[in-house]
Amino acid sequence: MKDMHSPPRQRARLKKPTWIIILLSFVCVFLVFAYVYPLQNSGACYIILSSSCNTLYSWLPPPARELSDAEAASRVIIKNVLDLPSTESSNPKIAFMFMSPGSLPFELLWEKFFEGHEGIFSVHIHASREKPVHTSRYFVDREIRSGKVDWGKISMVDAEKRLLASALKDPDNRHFVLLSDSCVPLRDFDYVYNYLMYTNVSFIDSFDDPGPHGSGRYSDHMLPEVEKKFFRKGAQWFTMKRQHAIIVMADNLYYSKFRDYCRPGMDGRNCYADEHYLPTFFHMLDPHGIANWSVTHVDWSEGKWHPKSYKKYDISYQLIKNISSITQSVHVTSDTKKKTMVMPCMWNGINRPCYLFARKFLPETQDRMIDLFTNLTLF
Ligand SMILES: *[C@@H]1O[C@H](CO)[C@@H](O)[C@H](O)[C@H]1NC(C)=O
Ligand SMILES: *[C@@H]1O[C@H](CO)[C@@H](O)[C@H](O)[C@H]1NC(C)=O
Ligand SMILES: *[C@@H]1O[C@H](CO)[C@@H](O)[C@H](O)[C@H]1NC(C)=O
Ligand SMILES: *[C@@H]1O[C@H](CO)[C@@H](O)[C@H](O)[C@H]1NC(C)=O
């Protein structure tokens, strides 16, 4: 037994100086790199853990490569818009932007929501298929020029941009909310108004999914402007502060990368621009300016291709209570690990309920929702 063990030990003793030399050379090479590329890549930041890294990374991540003219121009515009002091408005409004194929089934519920708050909100409707028939005065004549929307294609992002462009025309609009025809409010108007108006972030869903429904959809054609490590995923239902709405309008560079290389059938895979463009854009250009979760709740727990659709008999006091008391946002990766990431919903440093709206509600739920909504103790 002893004999059998001694040869490896001898070998180990012989190799020791060699290992020390190799280790020392690694340290030297690392130090030389760290000196030559001072804090230019995030790897170095992790190891050195210098505080200057944090401040550097709190702003645009400086890429190790030289920026093209278009990128340099784009970044300087974005930085300047974000640095502008937000102009005060004596009458700050919230823009509610509805994306729908046609008529909106919840106009009467939204009417209850808006009632009594005239003058501090505006409604904008993008109806992509047919002209809506209105049941509420707040929605009459609020349609904007619209275009066809193909599910998963860039035309979805185009519709979002069209809504923003229309809502930005009113200088009093300070925060912009994107909603679908199947969205319902979970809170009363004042709660929503204060939640959105008195925070300095946009509620844009953005997380790192290394799986096939996340970075698996990335295409190298997006290089050099969009690197795979910055590629993010998130639900399209955002709320956005005015400065962010302006930089989305100003962006053509990153937009065109997603238009051309994040689409169904790209490189034999399906990429959906509406799930990746804004989450990636904001992650790259203003990571601390977004909350990383969406204030619109959706239930994917059934594990199907579509989220749960609430029917009439699903609607109860307890259901709304349950959804509106959630204070943590959850993201699950689409790889085999199915890693679950739980994050407390922090609003100005306080852990608060995450959700103001919810989808997908079938039109048949409206009467039940109105009954609940008028029970002021709940909303
Ligand atoms: C938002 O406000 C908080 C607290 O006032 C501050 O710490 C944070 O840096 C601000 N964030 C942005 C993106 O301005
Ligand atoms: C959102 O995520 C980014 C990157 O993961 C992070 O830097 C940022 O601080 C997060 N935002 C908030 C408000 O926590
Ligand atoms: C509400 O949440 C409780 C506790 O998680 C659960 O037992 C109940 O089934 C939920 N009710 C509804 C209607 O979702
Ligand atoms: C109204 O809210 C109270 C709780 O505050 C609840 O007990 C009651 O059942 C609700 N009414 C209806 C009609 O849902």
Side-chain angles (χ1 to χ4, degrees):
M1 286 297 274
K2 218 177 173 188
D3 281 352
M4 274 170 72
H5 275 288
S6 43
R9 236 184 288 146
Q10 237 166 11
R11 231 184 351 248
R13 231 179 293 139
L14 281 173
K15 285 275 166 82
K16 221 174 188 173
T18 326
W19 276 112
I20 290 175
I21 290 165
I22 292 173
L23 191 69
L24 278 177
S25 2
F26 264 109
V27 170
C28 288
V29 169
F30 172 73
L31 287 178
V32 168
F33 259 91
Y35 182 76
V36 175
Y37 302 103
L39 313 178
Q40 287 222 334
N41 75 32
S42 54
C45 273
Y46 272 112
I47 301 162
I48 298 172
L49 284 177
S50 138
S51 61
S52 62
C53 268
N54 286 334
T55 50
L56 236 155
Y57 273 84
S58 69
W59 185 232
L60 304 181
R65 65 197 162 80
E66 208 175 331
L67 296 179
S68 68
D69 289 345
E71 268 177 297
S74 178
R75 283 177 184 241
V76 81
I77 290 171
I78 291 168
K79 178 161 169 40
N80 273 277
V81 171
L82 293 176
D83 284 350
L84 287 176
S86 53
T87 45
E88 293 297 316
S89 160
S90 57
N91 184 35
K93 286 186 201 165
I94 292 185
F96 291 86
M97 311 184 299
F98 290 89
M99 199 127 89
S100 165
S103 296
L104 291 155
F106 292 109
E107 284 192 13
L108 287 177
L109 175 62
W110 285 105
E111 177 167 295
K112 291 263 175 283
F113 173 84
F114 290 133
E115 222 156 41
H117 303 281
E118 287 77 3
I120 52 170
F121 69 89
S122 66
V123 171
H124 309 262
I125 306 162
H126 185 286
S128 55
R129 239 181 274 150
E130 56 200 44
K131 192 168 163 51
V133 176
H134 298 293
T135 48
S136 162
R137 60 199 153 109
Y138 297 117
F139 290 80
V140 174
D141 289 336
R142 299 304 305 165
E143 288 114 74
I144 64 162
R145 186 184 62 80
S146 66
K148 194 163 162 256
V149 171
D150 291 315
W151 186 73
K153 296 216 187 125
I154 199 71
S155 53
M156 185 77 94
V157 175
D158 294 338
E160 295 172 5
K161 290 180 78 167
R162 223 171 269 135
L163 278 163
L164 284 174
S166 161
L168 275 165
K169 282 196 247 163
D170 183 343
D172 286 334
N173 281 334
R174 309 310 303 178
H175 209 101
F176 302 78
V177 181
L178 183 71
L179 297 159
S180 81
D181 52 328
S182 74
C183 285
V184 299
L186 290 172
R187 301 281 183 176
D188 67 22
F189 186 92
D190 288 327
Y191 189 102
V192 169
Y193 186 90
N194 293 332
Y195 198 102
L196 298 179
M197 211 57 105
Y198 298 109
T199 186
N200 55 3
V201 297
S202 293
F203 293 93
I204 294 167
D205 194 26
S206 176
F207 77 107
D208 185 8
D209 178 359
H213 300 161
S215 322
R217 295 170 174 173
Y218 173 82
S219 159
D220 282 337
H221 285 95
M222 289 190 185
L223 287 172
E225 290 88 350
V226 182
E227 293 172 50
K228 189 170 188 176
K229 65 179 180 199
F230 292 124
F231 197 71
R232 288 294 178 280
K233 176 179 172 141
Q236 75 184 112
W237 310 106
F238 61 73
T239 85
M240 208 179 264
K241 57 179 187 171
R242 191 172 177 94
Q243 286 159 322
H244 281 164
I246 294 172
I247 64 174
V248 170
M249 289 289 98
D251 175 48
N252 187 50
L253 177 67
Y254 299 96
Y255 165 84
S256 52
K257 285 275 158 172
F258 282 83
R259 180 194 59 206
D260 298 343
Y261 307 117
C262 176
R263 50 182 168 79
M266 181 70 207
D267 291 346
R269 291 177 299 243
N270 290 331
C271 186
Y272 306 109
D274 58 282
E275 290 185 359
H276 299 283
Y277 165 52
L278 293 178
T280 305
F281 178 72
F282 282 102
H283 175 67
M284 286 177 63
L285 298 161
D286 193 17
H288 299 284
I290 60 170
N292 299 320
W293 88 85
S294 162
V295 290
T296 298
H297 179 267
V298 68
D299 183 354
W300 283 102
S301 66
E302 291 179 341
K304 300 196 186 136
W305 271 104
H306 289 285
K308 180 177 170 65
S309 283
Y310 296 98
K311 300 186 187 66
K312 187 170 182 181
Y313 295 104
D314 293 327
I315 307 304
S316 65
Y317 178 83
Q318 198 54 49
L319 175 75
I320 303 301
K321 196 93 215 154
N322 277 10
I323 299 175
S324 56
S325 36
I326 298 170
T327 55
Q328 289 178 326
S329 85
V330 178
H331 287 117
V332 183
T333 63
S334 62
D335 53 2
T336 47
K337 286 191 209 134
K338 297 240 170 296
K339 195 174 135 204
T340 303
M341 290 161 289
V342 181
M343 188 176 64
C345 294
M346 301 303 288
W347 183 92
N348 289 357
I350 315 161
N351 189 195
R352 286 190 64 182
C354 307
Y355 302 113
L356 306 176
F357 314 104
R359 63 185 199 107
K360 298 184 111 180
F361 284 63
L362 292 177
E364 65 186 41
T365 61
Q366 174 157 263
D367 290 348
R368 243 346 246 141
M369 284 302 294
I370 289 176
D371 285 349
L372 290 174
F373 197 79
T374 37
N375 187 345
L376 291 177
T377 49
L378 176 53
F379 283 83

